[in-house]
Amino acid sequence: DGKEIWPRGDEKTWKAGMRGIPNTVSDITNAIVYHVQSTLARQAYNLDNLGAYQAVALSVRDDLIVKWNETQMQYTRKQPKRAYYLSLEFLMGRTLDNALLNLGLKQQYKAATHKLGFNLEDLIDAERDAALGNGGLGRLAACYLDSGATMELPLWGYGLRYHYGLFAQHIAPDGSQLEAPDPWLDTDNPWEIPRQDVTYDVRFYGHAERIGNGKAVWTGGQEVLAVAYDVPIPGYSTNTVNNLRLWDAKPKRGFDLNSFNAGDYDRAIQENSSAETLTRVLYPNDNHMLGKELRLKQQAFWCAASLSDIIRRFKQVEKPWSEFPEYVSIQLNDTHPTIAIPELMRMLVDEEDVPWGDAWAITTKTFFYTNHTVLPEALEKWPVPLMEHVLPRHLQIIYDINMAFLQAVERKWPNDRERLARMSLIQEGEPKYVRMAFLATIGSAKVNGVAELHSHLVRETILRDFVDFFGKSKFANVTNGVTPRRWLDQCNPGLSNLITDAIQKPKAVWLKDLTLLKALEPFAEDSVFLKKWALIKHNNKKHLADYIKTHLGITVNPQSLFDIQIKRIHEYKRQSLNLLGVIHRYLTLKAMTSTERKKVNPRVVIFGGKAAPGYFMAKLLIRLIVNTARTINADADMKDILTVVFVPDYSVSLAEILIPASDISQHISTAGTEASGTSNMKFCLNGGLLLGTVDGANIEIAEEVDSNNVFFFGHLTDAVEDLRHQHKYHPIPVEERSPALAAVLKEIEEGRFGDPTIYQPFVDTIRLSDYYLVTDDFDSYVEANKMVDDAYVKDPEEWTKKTILTVSRMGKFSSDRAIMTYAEEFWNIEQFAIKF
Ligand code: GL9
């Protein structure tokens, strides 16, 4: 009769027992004390910050769960179309502060913890980062979840519950990077809800037998159990709390009792450990593909479990399969989840008896593919023999997809064999490879890049033939964004509060419509405001200086220009160029008299970032940076003029300290190599100006904030190919190309920064191949740095104006804008407010 019936027992009793969201300080202190006493079984007298953090986190978790339950229940009742973001990486960082701000409970918790004798900021600092990602791609996924919940979209994330996140970075006495494991789950993780009842079987290896009509039966091999862990994702100032579901691997049937009884203990646990290895560790490569079997198994495991879960949910609505795309959209975050395409085909065709053609129509309406890089070494290709071994049925399906696809290509361009070879999902050779980007492209409704230039390059280079085949409309751009909650309000509360006062809009309004920052523009002419603004930057720099002093023992003067480059260490990102520029500055300063030197504007150059453990050149560069810093910082002539800092173990929570403290940040990749960059957006949003190449999202930032407020240098994308050709076939010695750079290299080779034989491979790449065009861009880089110095010293007020104008024009780069573009233009999902 349409009336809802309470499922069990007395409704009043149930409801009376249900928790609401506490909002008085005394409710909150009670909840915290309850968790100290009951959940943690501890007492007040010896409670340390970690224990207090845990109790506070458990209390906040309770608050999140109330809204999480309500959100999921209302989705289930109304069955709106949902979108799923499949990502192998979610670089979440810390959760407590973000959850408090999004729930609007920070002030209450501050008061409550104070009453209990703790300082909330110390407790926030006791939390470990969840480092389930490598860099930009993983952090983007985390920003998108925040925006999805804030924009009240029915959006879930699916990923893996790695037991070890990205390795911790230590610096050895000789200056090189050492990697240590990150066992982040060793301390209890209050931000996840284990769902031992939500499990799926996933098969590997075995045999696939075709049985006609495109169908097959896949048997044997290994079966592993996927267990769900749910991470609540609260929206900012909404009732929505979405879900990030992470899969953990468990052996399917505990012990093999037969072998155990026979006394073969080793064999009995073998299956177990092999299953549990699956979700052991995040692969630490950024922008680089490594063809490891375990990685392929991670991908297949996660895709199979996620699709089983999505299909189970779809079955609740009792609609025909043809309507699947009206209830489900799936975004593929890079090619890592591409195996989901043949996996959905397998489930539909083999398990649900959907005819092949219908299944393909459903599949190609369901998936959307985001490409995140055009670097050839990063494009995923799996050896056919490996895939045949691990996923025999998926390989059959890929061959069938390929056959039909190539027949269509043949119809469009008859007898063009070269084109068929170029476009085939299978790259010929010994061995053959499956080209995952091509599979993702033909299996998806839309393909997008992550900034205008990058999307253009995707269309013109790696997917050019596919644009010709499918037409332009399938290929789109969605420029990346960042969440202004974490990357402004949370990390830079001083600035966020000043903005709120100035524009006279509540945070709950402007932090959800970042274009409202525009109202700041007139304040660039207000001299009182300028002083307040500059003071906040100064305080942020002092805060960073304190961090550097306590953790590294290096004194930096907050009056200096803070120049920061933090990102993964990679040749294409050219930390090399920055370092060589630093050495050039050092040599220039050394050549001055001490009176001349006194007039120079002091600079602190800060580097941070991890190198993939197997990336020799990146690790060598870290060693050179660290040892150069030591030489320069030990030189009395450089005191208060030039300081160089390598901040070890760069992470999300370190970024939150570094970014608000920058005057200038560097985004200096060879043109055409950095797909977007996202920290460039974070720096500009915090009033750090951009020193960069004409690459990725730098271009769109300059378009928005005005190129007067950006320091650009270097060759453009168009020039890169010719320059590389020139390097290869008409090499010009560095001495001729850039005498300034030659002088720098000579210093390294003469041992000024330590044993030169160690650094020879680095010097050689610059001198001999220079694939990333450091020599070509060096002089203009030095020039751009002079412009930075001049602008900063000559007219500090003008500088501050630039930073205000920059912040006021950053509205476009909110991840809210990006996620709404995906929702409206790709997924066709609607905002769904949770009523409370
Ligand atoms: C990356 C690009 O290199 C970045 O330029 C881009 O901003 C991000 C997000 O779109 O994606 N592509 C890529 O493979 N990584 C990126 O950061 N690397 C990883 O994080 C693994």
Side-chain angles (χ1 to χ4, degrees):
D1 59 1
K3 227 172 66 201
E4 279 185 56
I5 293 169
W6 192 256
R8 177 187 293 263
D10 174 39
E11 178 169 355
K12 278 211 193 94
T13 311
W14 272 97
K15 291 212 161 148
M18 274 187 185
R19 194 175 185 283
I21 305 249
N23 40 35
T24 69
V25 173
S26 75
D27 284 346
I28 291 169
T29 50
N30 289 350
I32 296 170
V33 170
Y34 165 81
H35 283 297
V36 171
Q37 183 189 18
S38 297
T39 316
L40 302 174
R42 295 188 64 169
Q43 290 165 47
Y45 79 91
N46 66 352
L47 193 69
D48 54 3
N49 277 341
L50 181 60
Y53 153 72
Q54 285 172 324
V56 168
L58 286 162
S59 168
V60 175
R61 165 197 165 109
D62 292 340
D63 304 340
L64 287 169
I65 287 176
V66 173
K67 286 185 164 185
W68 185 95
N69 271 326
E70 198 58 44
T71 304
Q72 305 318 317
M73 197 166 73
Q74 293 184 30
Y75 288 163
T76 305
R77 255 198 232 127
K78 291 271 167 60
Q79 296 294 352
K81 181 174 182 181
R82 302 169 187 243
Y84 299 99
Y85 199 79
L86 265 61
S87 181
L88 257 193
E89 307 191 3
F90 288 93
L91 187 41
M92 304 299 280
R94 289 174 176 161
T95 294
L96 177 57
D97 200 8
N98 185 250
L100 287 173
L101 288 166
N102 280 16
L103 292 170
L105 292 172
K106 185 156 182 187
Q107 285 318 313
Q108 291 91 314
Y109 270 86
K110 188 177 243 160
T113 46
H114 181 75
K115 277 198 151 176
L116 297 171
F118 290 90
N119 170 8
L120 182 60
E121 295 304 321
D122 294 340
L123 307 189
I124 286 168
D125 269 340
E127 182 176 353
R128 286 199 186 213
D129 276 38
L132 308 185
N134 275 288
L137 175 148
R139 182 55 232 178
L140 184 75
C143 283
Y144 281 175
L145 292 182
D146 182 83
S147 283
T150 300
M151 294 292 103
E152 304 182 300
L153 295 170
L155 171 68
W156 275 32
Y158 277 110
L160 287 180
R161 182 177 182 265
Y162 302 110
H163 296 208
Y164 293 85
L166 184 62
F167 65 86
Q169 177 191 58
H170 298 286
I171 299 300
D174 72 2
S176 31
Q177 167 177 291
L178 295 176
E179 301 93 20
D182 167 40
W184 71 295
L185 292 171
D186 281 6
T187 40
D188 287 330
N189 175 16
W191 307 115
E192 64 182 11
I193 307 157
R195 298 280 184 210
Q196 302 293 345
D197 56 327
V198 180
T199 63
Y200 300 96
D201 293 346
V202 179
R203 185 185 305 279
F204 300 105
Y205 313 112
H207 302 279
E209 188 104 38
R210 290 184 182 271
I211 56 169
N213 278 332
K215 292 180 59 158
V217 183
W218 182 21
T219 52
Q222 177 193 22
E223 277 186 280
V224 177
L225 200 64
V227 183
Y229 284 73
D230 288 344
V231 181
I233 306 293
Y236 176 76
S237 189
T238 67
N239 291 322
T240 300
V241 175
N242 278 335
N243 196 24
L244 166 59
R245 181 158 281 181
L246 301 178
W247 300 107
D248 204 343
K250 253 175 83 169
K252 204 184 151 191
R253 340 154 241 280
F255 290 102
D256 175 350
L257 276 178
N258 287 330
S259 349
F260 195 49
N261 291 337
D264 191 354
Y265 183 77
D266 278 1
R267 246 200 57 194
I269 59 169
Q270 206 176 343
E271 276 261 305
N272 284 354
S273 58
S274 127
E276 280 161 350
T277 305
L278 256 180
T279 47
R280 187 66 67 210
V281 61
L282 165 77
Y283 276 89
N285 302 294
D286 183 286
N287 266 296
H288 190 86
M289 195 233 165
L290 216 87
K292 289 271 187 277
E293 176 171 330
L294 185 62
R295 168 77 170 195
L296 181 61
K297 286 180 75 175
Q298 286 186 337
Q299 295 182 348
F301 171 77
W302 151 63
C303 289
S306 305
L307 281 176
S308 299
D309 202 41
I310 290 167
I311 283 176
R312 188 176 69 172
R313 200 165 300 120
F314 171 72
K315 284 180 173 175
Q316 292 172 355
V317 299
E318 301 184 329
K319 292 285 159 104
W321 284 110
S322 59
E323 287 184 35
F324 187 73
E326 268 129 71
Y327 287 88
V328 175
S329 284
I330 300 175
Q331 192 69 37
L332 306 173
N333 197 27
D334 214 285
T335 53
H336 315 149
T338 302
I339 206 70
I341 290 170
E343 174 65 7
L344 180 59
M345 287 298 288
R346 189 191 68 78
M347 289 179 168
L348 293 175
V349 173
D350 293 355
E351 292 180 358
E352 304 292 340
D353 254 321
V354 179
W356 177 277
D358 297 354
W360 185 243
I362 292 166
T363 299
T364 52
K365 281 183 209 153
T366 300
F367 289 106
F368 300 84
Y369 158 49
T370 305
N371 173 285
H372 290 270
T373 180
V374 293
L375 297 186
E377 68 273 27
L379 296 180
E380 284 193 301
K381 289 171 183 174
W382 288 104
V384 165
L386 177 64
M387 197 173 280
E388 190 164 29
H389 177 56
V390 179
L391 302 167
R393 177 60 185 138
H394 297 75
L395 185 68
Q396 283 177 349
I397 292 170
I398 290 168
Y399 270 110
D400 289 355
I401 293 170
N402 196 36
M403 172 76 87
F405 174 65
L406 292 182
Q407 281 168 351
V409 174
E410 172 72 18
R411 282 195 294 277
K412 194 157 180 162
W413 293 286
N415 304 314
D416 189 345
R417 290 175 62 183
E418 263 178 39
R419 186 187 297 266
L420 291 177
R422 280 203 312 270
M423 295 181 78
S424 175
L425 297 183
I426 307 297
Q427 178 184 303
E428 290 301 325
E430 194 49 60
K432 297 187 174 90
Y433 285 92
V434 183
R435 295 156 157 165
M436 303 309 271
F438 292 2
L439 178 55
T441 299
I442 76 171
S444 295
K446 296 263 187 203
V447 177
N448 75 285
V450 291
E452 290 290 351
L453 172 66
H454 168 65
S455 297
H456 170 80
L457 291 173
V458 167
R459 289 188 294 255
E460 296 293 317
T461 62
I462 54 177
L463 298 182
R464 195 187 180 116
D465 289 322
F466 295 83
V467 176
D468 290 346
F469 180 80
F470 289 107
K472 280 202 159 101
S473 64
K474 175 165 175 162
F475 298 83
N477 171 252
V478 184
T479 298
N480 285 165
V482 301
T483 169
R485 273 75 64 183
R486 183 178 294 260
W487 298 112
L488 178 51
D489 189 44
Q490 183 185 322
C491 71
N492 199 346
L495 196 65
S496 178
N497 292 339
L498 180 62
I499 291 170
T500 307
D501 287 348
I503 68 176
Q504 303 265 303
K505 287 264 176 3
K507 282 187 184 177
V509 173
W510 70 264
L511 281 171
K512 288 198 207 189
D513 177 3
L514 205 61
T515 60
L516 294 172
L517 284 176
K518 200 95 222 151
L520 265 182
E521 265 206 56
F523 291 92
E525 301 302 325
D526 174 337
S527 61
V528 178
F529 185 81
L530 256 69
K531 288 213 178 68
K532 291 186 190 164
W533 184 274
L535 181 63
I536 289 162
K537 179 62 76 180
H538 186 76
N539 288 338
N540 294 339
K541 288 164 73 174
K542 276 209 308 223
H543 184 220
L544 174 57
D546 288 346
Y547 178 92
I548 291 172
K549 183 76 198 174
T550 16
H551 291 83
L552 307 171
I554 301 170
T555 308
V556 297
N557 180 355
Q559 301 294 348
S560 319
L561 187 153
F562 277 27
D563 168 354
I564 306 184
Q565 188 182 22
I566 42 175
K567 47 185 87 240
R568 288 298 289 259
I569 311 294
H570 211 300
E571 284 166 289
Y572 87 81
K573 294 177 189 282
R574 298 199 296 191
Q575 283 90 354
S576 53
L577 182 56
N578 187 353
L579 180 71
L580 296 167
V582 166
I583 297 174
H584 176 264
R585 177 179 293 268
Y586 178 50
L587 299 179
T588 311
L589 291 167
K590 285 298 274 183
M592 290 178 179
T593 65
S594 61
T595 24
E596 281 173 322
R597 247 183 249 136
K598 292 227 165 65
K599 289 183 213 141
V600 169
N601 180 58
R603 205 190 265 226
V604 177
V605 183
I606 298 169
F607 292 86
K610 295 176 182 180
Y615 191 167
F616 169 76
M617 199 54 75
K619 292 177 90 168
L620 185 59
L621 187 59
I622 289 177
R623 192 169 176 183
L624 182 56
I625 293 169
V626 170
N627 285 303
T628 304
R630 285 175 182 166
T631 304
I632 292 175
N633 299 344
D635 187 332
D637 291 346
M638 295 300 112
K639 190 170 182 323
D640 271 345
I641 297 176
L642 177 61
T643 311
V644 183
V645 180
F646 184 89
V647 184
D649 206 28
Y650 176 56
S651 63
V652 170
S653 47
L654 255 176
E656 290 168 13
I657 300 173
L658 288 155
I659 290 170
S662 86
D663 294 305
I664 202 93
S665 71
Q666 301 203 31
H667 308 276
I668 58 177
S669 48
T670 312
T673 62
E674 188 70 275
S676 163
T678 43
S679 77
N680 44 5
M681 301 167 188
K682 296 167 193 167
F683 280 104
C684 289
L685 189 57
N686 284 275
L689 301 185
L690 192 155
L691 168 57
T693 45
V694 185
D695 200 14
N698 292 355
I699 299 168
E700 287 157 78
I701 292 174
E703 268 168 27
E704 293 294 307
V705 308
D706 193 317
S707 48
N708 280 325
N709 300 316
V710 166
F711 299 90
F712 268 144
F713 72 96
H715 286 88
L716 306 186
T717 305
D718 291 342
V720 168
E721 234 184 290
D722 284 350
L723 286 168
R724 282 182 178 158
H725 179 88
Q726 211 189 88
H727 282 289
K728 221 166 156 183
Y729 301 104
H730 314 282
I732 305 169
V734 180
E735 280 68 17
E736 283 168 47
R737 200 185 283 279
S738 166
L741 177 58
V744 169
L745 294 179
K746 203 168 135 246
E747 291 295 316
I748 301 172
E749 290 173 313
E750 286 177 355
R752 188 120 179 204
F753 311 105
D755 180 356
T757 57
I758 294 169
Y759 303 113
Q760 199 59 48
F762 166 72
V763 176
D764 284 347
T765 54
I766 306 288
R767 280 194 186 283
L768 305 178
S769 54
D770 193 20
Y771 186 73
Y772 295 103
L773 313 182
V774 170
T775 56
D776 304 274
D777 283 348
F778 188 78
D779 289 2
S780 81
Y781 176 67
V782 170
E783 207 43 52
N785 267 293
K786 281 203 190 102
M787 311 259 283
V788 170
D789 284 325
D790 286 350
Y792 192 75
V793 190
K794 286 197 184 130
D795 196 343
E797 204 174 278
E798 189 58 31
W799 180 279
T800 305
K801 279 186 192 173
K802 282 177 184 292
T803 69
I804 296 171
L805 291 178
T806 298
V807 173
S808 76
R809 296 165 180 174
M810 285 300 289
K812 170 175 171 183
F813 302 98
S814 169
S815 45
D816 298 345
R817 182 267 313 152
I819 209 74
M820 286 308 292
T821 308
Y822 282 103
E824 286 166 1
E825 286 169 30
F826 292 8
W827 307 332
N828 196 26
I829 60 168
E830 277 165 12
Q831 292 176 296
F832 182 100
I834 302 301
K835 299 191 188 67
F836 227 69

